[in-house]
Amino acid sequence: MRIFNTQTALTANNKEETVKMQRIRMKNGKRYIDRKTKKRLFVIGMLSIPTVHFIVFWLWINLDSILLAFQNNIGEWVGWTNIKWVFNAFTSNPYLDMWEATKNTLIFFVWNVFVELPIAVLLAYVFYKKLPGNKFFTICLYLPSIITPTVMTAVFKSFVGTDGPISLLWESMGMKWVYPVTNDKTALVSILAYQLWTGYGLNIILFRSAMNRIPRDIFESASLDGITMGKELTKIIVPLIWPMLVTMIILAVAGMFGSQGPILLFTNGDYGTMTIGHSMYLQYKVYGMVTRAAAIGLIFTVIGV
């Protein structure tokens, strides 16, 4: 009976509090919003920003690009015409050599994963060991990552140009220098060299940060066992930063067919340097065939998935 009376009293108190809150809400003719409702409105407001961004800039754009692959430039449905055009570019197409674009795209991917990433890990390890001058060289290697690509491309072109230091050194030895960027045999190699020069500055910072998070006790224990620097890198460092390496490789695979690189600034796809990303750019920007660009993107997105 006492418990029943207590519950009844609590219920009565809750009703009084509810009435009191309702009176406060309508005080001075203004509706009152309690703290819990304000919190919910805040969360809904903050979540609405990424939700709208996702719907507009990812979902709608990707759905629209898929539909464009089956239309012509005036919005009429043409079925598989654009898809067939892309596959014909693998055999006979005077406007696009898809075999060359695919081959070069895979070359850039392999160069990034199997050359640039290992070099970045090695340099990050060297700087991690705090050898003399490590901060200076870290800044030197990171600078190309923050300078505008247009400026870096112009610097590289001047460096390897006919009046550049390499040309003067080459001709001083009695040999004729050929501008490598406009040569069918050396244009792609020149761009790969540029990628190596400017491509791993940020990776060094990331890998060095990952190495700094490894407990020092592990290295002290290994040094007591007489471990060498080579084994320390391969047996301790690489396994412990492997999740970051895997993440970067996954990102490289995901963006493999869409990345364009500095092709536009160097050769505009000439001299055997066409890539899949640049072929989409040309179809849209130069030839005005946005539907063909969408078809190329759709096919290689399926392959990438």
Side-chain angles (χ1 to χ4, degrees), residues 13 46 197 199:
N13 290 334
M46 294 302 295
W197 178 40

Side-chain angles (χ1 to χ4, degrees), residues 29 122 193 201 232 273 279 297:
L122 181 61
E232 184 180 78
T273 60
S279 68

Side-chain angles (χ1 to χ4, degrees), residues 165-202:
I166 295 181
S167 173
L168 298 176
L169 178 63
W170 197 263
E171 292 178 354
S172 67
M173 295 185 292
M175 294 179 287
K176 184 179 179 180
W177 177 255
V178 178
Y179 187 42
V181 177
T182 57
N183 188 298
D184 291 336
K185 296 181 179 179
T186 58
L188 186 62
V189 177
S190 300
I191 297 176
L192 291 175
Y194 171 82
Q195 289 280 89
L196 184 63
W197 178 40
T198 61
Y200 51 68
L202 179 61

Side-chain angles (χ1 to χ4, degrees), residues 46-64:
M46 294 302 295
L47 290 178
S48 64
I49 298 174
T51 302
V52 172
H53 186 279
F54 172 79
I55 294 173
V56 175
F57 295 103
W58 191 91
L59 184 61
W60 180 79
I61 288 179
N62 281 279
L63 288 176
D64 186 59

Side-chain angles (χ1 to χ4, degrees), residues 57-263:
F57 295 103
W58 191 91
L59 184 61
W60 180 79
I61 288 179
N62 281 279
L63 288 176
D64 186 59
S65 65
I66 293 173
L67 297 176
L68 280 173
F70 302 96
Q71 302 175 15
N72 58 19
N73 282 351
I74 60 175
E76 296 176 346
W77 291 96
V78 293
W80 298 90
T81 302
N82 295 319
I83 305 296
K84 292 178 181 178
W85 183 91
V86 176
F87 282 104
N88 288 335
F90 282 97
T91 55
S92 58
N93 192 320
Y95 301 102
L96 176 63
D97 187 350
M98 191 56 72
W99 276 120
E100 176 188 295
T102 306
K103 179 193 70 174
N104 291 337
T105 300
L106 293 176
I107 288 174
F108 278 109
F109 169 75
V110 172
W111 184 261
N112 177 32
V113 173
F114 296 101
V115 177
E116 292 182 16
L117 279 181
I119 291 178
V121 173
L122 181 61
L123 290 175
Y125 175 68
V126 172
F127 298 147
Y128 169 75
K129 299 300 290 184
K130 297 181 180 180
L131 299 178
N134 70 90
K135 293 184 178 180
F136 171 76
F137 288 108
T138 301
I139 295 173
C140 290
L141 291 172
Y142 184 69
L143 278 177
S145 301
I146 61 177
I147 298 176
T148 306
T150 306
V151 175
M152 296 305 301
T153 304
V155 171
F156 184 83
K157 285 183 176 181
S158 299
F159 191 74
V160 300
T162 53
D163 296 328
I166 295 181
S167 173
L168 298 176
L169 178 63
W170 197 263
E171 292 178 354
S172 67
M173 295 185 292
M175 294 179 287
K176 184 179 179 180
W177 177 255
V178 178
Y179 187 42
V181 177
T182 57
N183 188 298
D184 291 336
K185 296 181 179 179
T186 58
L188 186 62
V189 177
S190 300
I191 297 176
L192 291 175
Y194 171 82
Q195 289 280 89
L196 184 63
W197 178 40
T198 61
Y200 51 68
L202 179 61
N203 292 338
I204 291 176
I205 302 296
L206 295 175
F207 288 137
R208 186 174 179 180
S209 299
M211 294 175 189
N212 286 330
R213 291 194 294 269
I214 300 175
R216 299 296 304 176
D217 297 342
I218 298 176
F219 299 104
E220 293 175 359
S221 176
S223 63
L224 293 176
D225 294 332
I227 193 171
T228 62
M229 292 183 64
K231 288 185 177 181
E232 184 180 78
L233 175 62
T234 57
K235 302 295 184 181
I236 298 177
I237 296 288
V238 172
L240 291 178
I241 67 170
W242 187 251
M244 176 176 284
L245 271 170
V246 171
T247 301
M248 299 185 73
I249 293 173
I250 291 174
L251 293 175
V253 172
M256 174 172 53
F257 296 119
S259 60
Q260 180 178 336
I263 303 298

